[in-house]
Amino acid sequence: MPQYVAAIDQGTTSTRCMIFDHSGNVVAADQREHQQIFPRAGWVEHDPEEIWRNTREVCAGALAKADLVDQDIVAVGITNQRETTVVWDRTTGKPVYNAIVWQDTRTDRIIEELGNLGGGQNRYHASTGLPLATYFAGPKVKWILDNVDGARAKADAGDLLFGTIDSWLLWNATGGPDGGLHITDATNASRTLLMDLDTLTWNEQNAADMGIPMSMLPEIRSCSEVYGNIRQRGAFAGLPLAGSLGDQQAATFGQACLSVGEAKNTYGTGNFVLLNTGNEKVMSENGLLTTVCYKIGENQTVYALEGSIAVTGSLVQWLRDNLGMIGSAPEIEQLAASVDDNGGVYFVPAFSGLFAPYWRSDARGAIVGLTRYVTKGHLAHAVLQATAFQSKEVIDAMNADSGVPLKSLKVDGGMVGNELLMQFQADILGVPVIRPVVAETTALGAAYAAGLAVGFWQSEDDIRTNWAQDKQWDPQMDEAEREKQYRKWKKAVTKTFDWVDEDTD
């Protein structure tokens, strides 16, 4: 009998495949990075065909590392970087342009134009739960149709398809031009500015505003059901594709935040705090997103409040790749620990504007408080603290929206191995920070969704049972010091505003 579930985790910087057993333990993993393409300031792209090649390679690699065959796997789930947008030809399977990544800010003029139609930043808030921002997928589609030669004519003729990365992988994995399924799940669809949160259907007026033909849009499905079988060529041939969630919703599911009021923070390329609000959609008054948390089969939709932070782990990557201050990402902890504090330096990484709770596309990064005393150790300290400060901002907003102060924070993702960061996060929040045994819960959540769909796990109670704590950090900073540091951070944030103006290209 098959004993394992596989998950494809397609992230912003890499793609991996992870194989899990019934207890939620990692059996094997394989990973490939892909190229980050920066054609000009504020533009971020990926090659969708490279991502699909890497996906095939890591699936085969994970099987080989575990010494397993396809028949040992019961089902496959997918989780993905959200909002990243692909438009491709349904006949040839070729993208008409690179994938435009969620961090990309080129749609700022489109956002302004849409807001001018009426309602400003809140034009689509009531129907989608989202502000008008460069973050989301719909305006990226409009940019491609407006700027790629022949794209709009092809779209109007019904020859082009749109999808976030989940759709691109699902379509290719189930056959591509030869009968591939053009589908997405409700969590990814909720990040487009095109889906109605109540009905989980596409909003035709929103699509019309952006000039997107309805024929381009994938069918919206639940997060846990058998969508179809994987094509016969390559790894996992013939296996059911049975789960799909955007990465942050997948991490919430994998963290077993399955009850109202439970929250998690994922530390990845960016940071994303999600609070389960149950079957009630809570509309934020404090700069958060209202989003689909998950929908399991025919069960009622579960909603979440989300605080999205654009740049956290990618700031460490920038320190490594652009400045050469460290040789590898883990080295930042040792460098930061070489000093006692940030030396008065605050680093606000508004590389792509500011997301929650500000939603300021005109912001750009700033390092403030520099003196001759400052060393690279202080800068490394400030880089780590930027992640914790930004997380506090969205958690404060979440507390205000929900009316229920957070009592502890579950954490996951690549940065939670950094103990200096985790201790500072507990200090600045004033609540315990808890890391699970399986810290890479994004892939685990996708595996759970797929396994539930085929009966490998019987219910969400199995997920709760599997969750286990690895370590807890308790706050050690006194209240006066916490308030002083946070006040300085908030002051530093204001220095990033209004950097992009009318004559900025």
Side-chain angles (χ1 to χ4, degrees), residues 462-481:
D462 291 342
I463 299 172
R464 292 186 176 95
T465 300
N466 279 353
W467 189 91
Q469 178 176 316
D470 174 47
K471 187 167 182 176
Q472 176 171 317
W473 289 266
D474 295 314
Q476 298 174 358
M477 184 181 290
D478 66 62
E479 184 67 28
E481 180 64 19

Side-chain angles (χ1 to χ4, degrees), residues 162-480:
F162 149 68
T164 41
I165 293 291
D166 60 307
S167 294
W168 169 246
L169 294 181
L170 283 160
W171 187 79
N172 279 292
T174 55
D178 187 20
L181 298 172
H182 188 215
I183 60 178
T184 189
D185 77 276
T187 65
N188 278 293
S190 74
R191 317 297 295 199
T192 60
L193 285 170
L194 297 170
M195 190 194 82
D196 186 282
L197 268 184
D198 291 314
T199 62
L200 307 190
T201 58
W202 298 119
N203 186 306
E204 293 192 27
Q205 183 58 57
N206 294 10
D209 284 355
M210 298 179 210
I212 301 171
M214 297 297 290
S215 61
M216 292 183 70
L217 303 180
E219 179 187 355
I220 301 172
R221 305 279 282 270
S222 83
C223 304
S224 178
E225 61 178 275
V226 176
Y227 309 119
N229 295 326
I230 294 175
R231 64 184 200 149
Q232 288 300 317
R233 292 198 304 277
F236 303 146
L239 293 179
L241 262 173
S244 177
L245 300 103
D247 52 9
Q248 303 313 318
Q249 286 91 338
T252 307
F253 204 63
Q255 277 276 40
C257 294
L258 306 174
S259 300
V260 175
E262 294 184 325
K264 68 86 200 177
N265 192 10
T266 296
Y267 296 71
T269 301
N271 264 41
F272 302 87
V273 187
L274 267 75
L275 172 72
N276 185 324
T277 64
N279 303 129
E280 176 190 5
K281 60 170 193 171
V282 177
M283 303 304 282
S284 176
E285 298 179 0
N286 294 281
L288 302 180
L289 310 179
T290 305
T291 194
V292 174
C293 193
Y294 55 87
K295 178 174 170 55
I296 303 303
E298 297 297 321
N299 296 348
Q300 277 188 277
T301 305
V302 175
Y303 295 96
L305 277 171
E306 175 177 332
S308 310
I309 304 164
V311 178
T312 55
S314 57
L315 180 57
V316 178
Q317 189 179 43
W318 178 84
L319 208 68
R320 180 194 71 188
D321 297 343
N322 291 46
L323 299 191
M325 282 178 56
I326 51 176
S328 65
E331 289 177 23
I332 193 169
E333 183 172 12
Q334 182 180 356
L335 182 57
S338 68
V339 294
D340 294 331
D341 54 32
N342 62 12
V345 173
Y346 293 82
F347 194 149
V348 186
F351 294 162
S352 302
L354 290 168
F355 286 6
Y358 299 101
W359 299 107
R360 297 286 298 256
S361 62
D362 63 335
R364 286 298 179 269
I367 304 173
V368 301
L370 289 172
T371 63
R372 285 288 302 272
Y373 167 72
V374 170
T375 67
K376 61 183 181 181
H378 294 117
L379 283 175
H381 221 95
V383 163
L384 293 181
Q385 288 185 344
T387 291
F389 282 128
Q390 291 181 100
S391 296
K392 177 172 171 57
E393 286 185 308
V394 297
I395 288 168
D396 282 356
M398 204 162 273
N399 289 341
D401 276 333
S402 68
V404 182
L406 195 70
K407 293 181 179 179
S408 64
L409 182 67
K410 289 182 176 179
V411 299
D412 56 73
M415 295 180 78
V416 300
N418 189 313
E419 304 215 355
L420 186 68
L421 170 59
M422 292 298 99
Q423 182 59 58
F424 186 76
Q425 186 70 86
D427 287 343
I428 207 67
L429 287 177
V431 300
V433 167
I434 301 169
R435 182 176 69 194
V437 171
V438 179
E440 297 298 348
T441 53
T442 303
L444 181 58
Y448 280 147
L452 282 170
V454 298
F456 186 70
W457 289 289
Q458 296 303 309
S459 72
E460 293 173 14
D461 288 337
D462 291 342
I463 299 172
R464 292 186 176 95
T465 300
N466 279 353
W467 189 91
Q469 178 176 316
D470 174 47
K471 187 167 182 176
Q472 176 171 317
W473 289 266
D474 295 314
Q476 298 174 358
M477 184 181 290
D478 66 62
E479 184 67 28

Side-chain angles (χ1 to χ4, degrees), residues 39-58:
R40 53 194 287 190
W43 292 28
V44 190
E45 298 176 2
H46 295 156
D47 178 352
E49 293 185 291
E50 179 188 11
I51 286 174
W52 172 229
R53 285 195 304 273
N54 287 356
T55 300
R56 301 198 302 273
E57 290 177 8
V58 297

Side-chain angles (χ1 to χ4, degrees), residues 68-133:
L68 299 175
V69 294
D70 292 342
Q71 290 71 28
D72 293 315
I73 310 298
V74 68
V76 180
I78 289 178
T79 183
N80 59 289
Q81 53 167 319
R82 304 168 304 171
E83 298 93 20
T84 295
T85 299
V86 187
V87 173
W88 69 95
D89 188 302
R90 70 164 71 238
T91 303
T92 66
K94 296 290 185 182
V96 301
Y97 190 79
N98 277 337
I100 300 180
V101 179
W102 57 273
Q103 300 157 311
D104 190 286
T105 60
R106 77 184 68 188
T107 57
D108 53 355
R109 298 291 184 266
I110 292 172
I111 295 301
E112 184 179 347
E113 292 166 7
L114 291 170
N116 289 339
L117 295 175
Q121 193 177 49
N122 291 320
R123 177 170 178 79
Y124 304 117
H125 187 257
S127 62
T128 69
L130 309 175
L132 258 176

